[in-house]
Amino acid sequence: MSFFKNIGESFKRLGALASFSKIDDELYDELEEVMITADVGMGTSQRIITELKKRVKQEGARSPEEVKPLLKSVIADILSSGSQKPKMGSARPRLILMVGVNGVGKTTTIGKIAAIERVKGGKVILAAGDTFRAAAVEQLQIWGDRVGASVIRHSEGADPAAVIHDAISAGKAREADLIICDTAGRLHNRKNLMDELSKVKRIIDRELPDAPVEVLLVVDATTGQNAVSQAKLFKEAAGITGIVLTKLDGTAKGGVVIAIVAETGIPVEYVGMGEGVNDLMPFDPAAFANAIFGDEEEA
């Protein structure tokens, strides 16, 4: 079965391009409507159409059939336009700080990333920093046991920064390759979020001044434009370096991926398509652009 499964369902109307006899405003209006329906969002859809018109003119396209590859290239370029990941040094351990609201699949994603590292032969430590959600620590422990990663945990309600401090100490002492830190998914207000994450980041900067550090935001694709809002909030609060988009198998409106990159400038690093340990893959902009047009075999 295709990895991207049904993400192109809302884009199926693009197949109606063949029914148009010429490239005109009616055609562009149809394309814009399809993208809005697919959760690309109004602003990003208009940006795409503006760029598409420019490329149609530059390429001298004359028929609607020639529009499809140009539209695909516009979308692929947007998906590839996220800010580049910061250069990572060779110091060990590496650290990934995972952020995101409750229910997006953050803890499961941590387990999957740990599994990817373990397959490479890396030594992984998980920090159970979500000490406020019931059963969050136990859920992370299950994943740790499943993939062969050590879990540093405190009692429920403990200070997340203290948990992460101890995980870093353990990582250095055990010569770990990767530390993945879970965090609480509460979003009562921006100040609480920023204060808590700032404290955690100060600990990381102090204890691992030369280590490669990534901050990955996990968002749920099924929440549509709300995922874009979350990405903007966490970008401001946490300085995120990349996005993991989960539950992409549960939505036919895969256009939210385009909207997130276009509106935040942050690259999508991984996409999750299910609950299985192997259902997480590095994001490929060209493959995704092909998939929404039903052309994944070209990727």
Side-chain angles (χ1 to χ4, degrees):
M1 182 179 291
S2 163
F3 178 72
F4 288 118
K5 297 179 183 175
N6 68 339
I7 61 168
E9 287 296 312
S10 291
F11 290 89
K12 278 188 173 180
R13 283 168 56 194
L14 293 175
L17 282 173
S19 67
F20 286 85
S21 60
K22 59 182 177 178
I23 302 174
D24 56 10
D25 287 343
E26 186 178 352
L27 172 63
Y28 289 125
D29 288 346
E30 171 70 10
L31 293 176
E32 183 175 327
E33 184 179 335
V34 169
M35 287 186 287
I36 292 172
T37 302
D39 263 345
V40 176
M42 178 71 77
T44 302
S45 297
Q46 291 175 343
R47 170 182 165 183
I48 290 171
I49 295 301
T50 298
E51 178 61 25
L52 177 62
K53 288 180 178 179
K54 184 188 303 182
R55 296 194 189 186
V56 165
K57 184 176 181 179
Q58 289 173 342
E59 298 296 326
R62 297 179 180 278
S63 69
E65 289 80 2
E66 296 176 85
V67 171
K68 177 180 174 181
L70 296 177
L71 178 57
K72 188 189 296 186
S73 69
V74 171
I75 291 173
D77 286 350
I78 288 175
L79 292 171
S80 302
S81 67
S83 56
Q84 295 299 309
K85 291 172 62 174
K87 289 185 178 180
M88 297 296 174
S90 58
R92 288 292 182 268
R94 293 162 40 226
L95 185 141
I96 299 176
L97 181 65
M98 304 293 292
V99 299
V101 302
N102 287 333
V104 295
K106 181 159 46 71
T107 306
T108 299
T109 299
I110 290 172
K112 293 175 182 179
I113 293 176
I116 291 171
E117 183 70 22
R118 291 288 294 137
V119 168
K120 298 176 183 176
K123 184 183 293 185
V124 182
I125 289 179
L126 308 181
D130 186 355
T131 59
F132 297 96
R133 182 171 63 87
V137 174
E138 286 74 17
Q139 184 184 3
L140 193 66
Q141 184 67 62
I142 290 170
W143 271 104
D145 295 341
R146 182 178 183 184
V147 304
S150 301
V151 178
I152 304 301
R153 52 188 291 179
H154 287 190
S155 59
E156 185 176 333
D159 182 359
V163 178
I164 291 171
H165 176 276
D166 287 354
I168 292 172
S169 297
K172 291 190 288 189
R174 302 177 194 178
E175 298 184 340
D177 296 289
L178 176 64
I179 301 169
I180 310 177
C181 303
D182 195 6
T183 59
R186 299 172 304 159
L187 259 182
H188 295 318
N189 59 53
R190 294 190 180 198
K191 186 176 187 305
N192 285 354
L193 173 66
M194 287 189 281
D195 288 350
E196 188 169 293
L197 291 176
S198 293
K199 183 177 180 181
V200 167
K201 291 182 74 176
R202 285 197 300 271
I203 294 289
I204 294 170
D205 291 342
R206 187 185 71 209
E207 299 298 321
L208 290 175
D210 301 316
V213 175
E214 295 180 74
V215 183
L216 298 184
L217 169 66
V218 183
V219 292
D220 179 344
T222 66
T223 60
Q225 290 298 301
N226 188 45
V228 180
S229 299
Q230 289 176 27
K232 290 179 178 178
L233 171 62
F234 277 96
K235 178 182 180 180
E236 175 188 341
I240 55 180
T241 61
I243 290 170
V244 182
L245 199 65
T246 64
K247 307 181 187 179
L248 205 52
D249 57 321
T251 178
K253 298 184 176 183
V256 69
V257 182
I258 307 167
I260 288 174
V261 178
E263 296 191 34
T264 68
I266 299 167
V268 175
E269 298 289 345
Y270 295 97
V271 288
M273 301 296 297
E275 294 297 318
V277 68
N278 297 317
D279 292 334
L280 184 75
M281 288 186 64
F283 182 67
D284 183 330
F288 189 88
N290 280 327
I292 61 176
F293 284 90
D295 298 331
E296 193 177 355
E297 69 278 0
E298 298 176 15

